[in-house]
Amino acid sequence: MTDPTKNRRRTRLLAAGAAAVTLGLTAAGVGVAQAAATPPPLSFVSATQAVTAYRYVSGDDVWFSMDLGLHVIAGKDAFEIQARRTGYDKPIVAEKIVTEKGKKKRVALPAGTVTDFNGLKDFVTISITDEAGAPVTEYSTPFCGTTWSSARTRPDAPATNPYPTSCGNGQNPFTLGAVWGVQAGWSTSVADQPPYSEETGQFDLPAGKYSAKVALNPRYRELFGVPADQGDVTIGLTVVEQREGEEGLARAMKADALEEPAAVPTTDEHAEHASEGDAARQVSSYLPEFRAPAKRPTTLKAAPKSGPKPDLKSLPAWGIELEEIDGKWYVNFAATVWNAGTSPLLVDGFRRTGTELMDAYQYFFDAKGNQVGSKAAGTMEWDAREGHMHWHFTDFAQYNLLAADQKLAVRSGKEAFCLANTDAVDYTIPQAKWQPENTDLSTSCGADTVVAVREVLDIGNGDTYHQSLPGQSFEITDLPNGTYWIQVLANPENRLAELDTKNNSALRQIVLGGTPDARTLTVPPVFDIDG
C-alpha cells in the first residue's frame, strides 16, 4: 500500500465545489425557508436545474471545479447513523438512531448496508450524457451525511450542528467506529464526483454542454423514508474552459483553501501534520479550549485514583512500504495512537525562561469537567526544523522494529510529538468529541514566541504520524531477511496516567526478503485488512 499522504497529491484537477449555484432547493417543491408541517424523515433535493462547471488550464495542469448542488435535508428529527466493529475480524454493524416519544433508540440497519467507513456505498448513481444524448460517463458516489457544507434550511431548525464535519478517516484501515449525521432541518451536500485514485486520476470533463441524471439508490430511499417523487433529478451541466491568463484562473488555483478539511494531513510530520506559517501555528493560542495558563502550577493536586482518565491505545502500523534512498533501504509506515478513555489527554507545557524547553503537566477532570488534579509528565521541546516549527511533547509514543523473537532491532528516531486529533478512530464510544478543534499543526502546538502551550488528544480521536523520513522510518539495509514486527508503543515511560496501560502496544508483522541490491517487503494482512 502506498503512503496515503502521497495519495492526496493532486493530478492538477481541482474538485472544490465552486459552481455558481444558490440553495433554492427546487426538487419536489422543497423550499429552504419553508418548513413543511410534517416534513419527510429525509429529503433528496437539487438546488437548481442547471449549473456551470469550470475547467481551468495552465500548461499541462488542469483544475476541474463542479458542484451539481445535490443535498439531503433531515426532517423534524436528526438523521444519524452509527457504524462500528468490535474487532478487525468482525463485520461493521450500522444502526440508525431514531427518536420515538422523545426518546432515542437504536435500530439496526440490514446486514451489509455499511461495509466500510467511507459512508453509505452507492448512495446515488450519476449518468452524464452529451448534448446529443450520447453516454459520456456513469459512476456512483457514497454519502455519509457529515460535510463541512452543512446549513440549516428553515428558521425553526436548531442553531448548531453537533455532527462531525467530515466522514471520518476512511484512509486509516484500522478505524473502529464512525458517526454520520444531519441535524434536524439542516441540509448537507451529496458527493457528485468519483473519488480520486492513482489509476483513474481526478474527475474531468471537456468543455461543452451535458445533462447529468442523478438517481437515488432505491434501497436507501425506502430505508430512510425519502419521498418517492424525489428519487431522480436531472441537471443541465455546462462546462466552460478558461486558460492561463484569463480572468478567474488565479482564483481557481487558490481554491484549495476552500476544500473540505482533510482527514489525514499532508506534510512531512503527520507526514508531519502541516506547516501553515507563524500566524496559523499560533491559532491555538486564540482558542480558549487550547490556551494553557501563563504560569505553571505552584502546588500540584495528585492524580485522582478514580474518575475519568484518558486511555491511550495503539493501532497496528499501516501504510507500510519499502523505499530505497542512495543505496540504503527503509521501511516507511504510519502509526496511530488514539484515546479510548473517559477524559481527554490534556498536557500543558510551561517554558523554562530563556530556553527552548518546557516542563509538561497532565491535568485531570471530574465527570462535570472540573479540574481535580495534575501531575508532572516529562517535557516539551521546540523543534525549529523546516516542516516542524512547533513544540513537541517528548513522552507520547515510541516506534520500534522488533526481530522475530520480539527483541529490539531498530528504534525510530521519532521521539517527540505535536499532539493533534488527525483521525476519527471511534466516534461511537461515550463522550467522543465529534468536532475537535486541533486537527492538524495549524491548530496545535504553539509558536516559538509562547511561554506556555496546550496539547490535547480528545476522546475517540487518534494522532497519526507517517514515518517516511530517514531517521524516522526504519533503516533495514543491513538487517537479514526474515520476520520482523513493527511495534507502536504509547506512553513508553508511563509518565502519563491513564485507565489502562496493558493496551499501549500494537504489533504488525512484516517479512523482509530479496537481495542487498533488491530488497523485498511482504506485509501479511491483519485478518482481512491489507492496509
Side-chain angles (χ1 to χ4, degrees), residues 88-100:
Y88 298 124
D89 58 338
K90 306 295 184 183
I92 297 174
V93 176
E95 298 175 312
K96 187 174 185 294
I97 310 302
V98 300
T99 302
E100 291 185 358

Side-chain angles (χ1 to χ4, degrees), residues 59-403:
D60 294 332
D61 297 334
V62 176
W63 285 263
F64 185 75
S65 176
M66 181 182 79
D67 184 352
L68 295 180
L70 306 175
H71 301 264
V72 298
I73 301 175
K76 67 181 183 65
D77 297 318
F79 174 81
E80 179 179 331
I81 291 176
Q82 296 196 7
R84 190 172 189 269
R85 57 185 170 191
T86 57
Y88 298 124
D89 58 338
K90 306 295 184 183
I92 297 174
V93 176
E95 298 175 312
K96 187 174 185 294
I97 310 302
V98 300
T99 302
E100 291 185 358
K101 298 180 179 179
K103 294 184 178 181
K104 291 186 177 181
K105 74 172 188 177
R106 297 174 177 269
V107 176
L109 298 182
T113 300
V114 174
T115 58
D116 57 34
F117 291 105
N118 293 314
L120 300 170
K121 187 178 181 181
D122 299 334
F123 188 75
V124 296
T125 298
I126 300 175
S127 305
I128 297 179
T129 56
D130 63 17
E131 195 169 15
V136 175
T137 185
E138 182 175 287
Y139 53 89
S140 297
T141 65
F143 173 73
C144 69
T146 44
T147 79
W148 67 301
S149 59
S150 296
R152 58 178 172 181
T153 62
R154 61 176 193 253
D156 62 337
T160 59
N161 177 6
Y163 294 105
T165 55
S166 64
C167 295
N169 189 24
Q171 288 185 319
N172 190 324
F174 296 106
T175 299
L176 289 166
V179 174
W180 307 319
V182 185
Q183 175 65 294
W186 283 57
S187 75
T188 191
S189 60
V190 177
D192 56 15
Q193 298 169 51
Y196 168 83
S197 73
E198 291 186 340
E199 292 75 22
T200 62
Q202 192 61 270
F203 184 74
D204 187 24
L205 287 173
K209 291 185 177 295
Y210 303 88
S211 178
K213 181 178 180 181
V214 185
L216 177 65
N217 191 322
R219 181 185 187 188
Y220 298 125
R221 182 179 58 78
E222 296 172 6
L223 190 60
F224 302 134
V226 177
D229 60 355
Q230 294 181 10
D232 300 278
V233 296
T234 299
I235 301 163
L237 170 63
T238 301
V239 177
V240 176
E241 183 173 292
Q242 290 185 331
R243 295 193 169 271
E244 186 173 10
E246 296 177 352
E247 185 179 356
L249 180 59
R251 289 196 300 272
M253 296 176 68
K254 294 179 180 179
D256 284 330
L258 302 177
E259 284 194 288
E260 181 176 355
V264 176
T266 59
T267 60
D268 286 337
E269 185 175 355
H270 282 88
E272 248 281 1
H273 292 317
S275 179
E276 299 289 345
D278 288 340
R281 283 194 297 271
Q282 297 181 64
V283 73
S284 62
S285 65
Y286 297 99
L287 297 171
E289 185 175 0
F290 300 109
R291 188 180 302 143
K295 296 182 180 180
R296 73 188 65 219
T298 54
T299 59
L300 293 178
K301 295 180 180 179
K305 294 182 179 180
S306 60
K309 285 189 181 71
D311 184 12
L312 299 180
K313 289 186 176 182
S314 297
L315 299 182
W318 54 284
I320 304 168
E321 62 180 8
L322 188 65
E323 184 177 20
E324 186 268 334
I325 303 176
D326 296 331
K328 294 185 177 182
W329 292 91
Y330 299 89
V331 172
N332 302 331
F333 61 98
T336 305
V337 174
W338 73 290
N339 183 2
T342 53
S343 173
L345 171 65
L346 191 151
V347 180
D348 283 348
F350 302 94
R351 193 168 190 162
R352 297 179 187 176
T353 303
T355 73
E356 293 188 344
L357 196 67
M358 290 188 179
D359 294 308
Y361 296 84
Q362 180 185 4
Y363 288 84
F364 306 93
F365 305 87
D366 63 19
K368 296 182 179 180
N370 300 311
Q371 184 177 307
V372 294
S374 57
K375 69 183 292 290
T379 59
M380 295 182 186
E381 59 187 23
W382 173 251
D383 192 332
R385 293 174 297 166
E386 184 177 354
H388 297 255
M389 301 294 288
H390 47 244
W391 291 90
H392 276 161
F393 177 48
T394 57
D395 296 277
F396 179 65
Q398 185 182 93
Y399 310 140
N400 302 309
L401 183 63
L402 308 180

